Amino acid sequence: MQIITSEALLSFLAHVGTGLGLMILGITVFAFTTKFSEATLIREGNIAVALKLWGKAIGLAIVIYTVWANSLNLLDAFIWGLIGIATQVIAYWIIEYVLTPKTNLAKKVEEGNIAIGFSLFSAAIVVGLVVAASLTY
C-alpha cells in the first residue's frame, strides 16, 4: 500500500492554494470592471447579478483546471493562469461593450433582467471553455 508522501501533500496544497488564489484574483478583477456592488445586489436577491458573477467564476475555474492539467510546474501554471484571467477579462469586455454597443448590459443586469444575466452567465462559460482549449499545448 502506497502512503501519500509529505512532498505530494505539499504539492497538492500549493496547487490548491494557488488555484484558489487565482480564482479570488480573477473574481476581484471582474469586480473592478463592474460599476455596481455585485455582493450587495446578490444579498438583495438579484438573480441576474448572481448568474453573471458565478458564470464568470465557472469560466475561471475551467481555465484554471486546464492550466493545472497542462502545466509543467506550479510557476508555469501560475503564469498561464494569469494569462487566462487576463484573456477572459478582455473577451468579456468585448462581449459586453463592443458586441452589444446599443444595450447597456450592466444596467440591465443591475435592474434584475434574468434573461441578460443568464446570457452573460452562458457567455462567461463559453469564453472560459474557448480560453481553456486555447491553453492546451
Side-chain angles (χ1 to χ4, degrees):
M1 180 168 93
Q2 179 82 17
I3 297 177
I4 297 174
T5 65
S6 59
E7 181 180 337
L9 180 60
L10 290 175
S11 176
F12 166 76
L13 293 174
H15 280 80
V16 169
T18 303
L20 291 175
L22 285 169
M23 286 292 302
I24 291 167
L25 175 65
I27 290 170
T28 301
V29 169
F30 273 124
F32 280 118
T33 67
T34 305
K35 296 176 182 166
F36 51 82
S37 171
E38 291 170 328
T40 300
L41 291 174
I42 290 170
R43 276 193 295 275
E44 293 172 357
N46 189 319
I47 295 170
V49 172
L51 286 168
K52 179 183 173 188
L53 174 66
W54 291 108
K56 291 175 182 177
I58 292 168
L60 288 170
I62 292 167
V63 169
I64 291 169
Y65 170 82
T66 299
V67 166
W68 266 208
N70 293 290
S71 293
L72 304 172
N73 54 47
L74 187 58
L75 178 61
D76 185 51
F78 180 74
I79 291 168
W80 283 108
L82 291 176
I83 291 168
I85 289 169
T87 304
Q88 275 199 279
V89 170
I90 292 165
Y92 202 80
W93 278 344
I94 291 169
I95 289 168
E96 195 162 354
Y97 299 110
V98 176
L99 298 180
T100 58
K102 295 181 181 181
T103 304
N104 185 340
L105 297 179
K107 185 70 173 161
K108 296 284 186 189
V109 169
E110 186 178 7
E111 293 168 353
N113 186 319
I114 294 174
I116 298 289
F118 185 76
S119 296
L120 293 173
F121 170 87
S122 301
I125 294 171
V126 168
V127 168
L129 286 169
V130 170
V131 171
S134 301
L135 289 168
T136 60
Y137 49 91

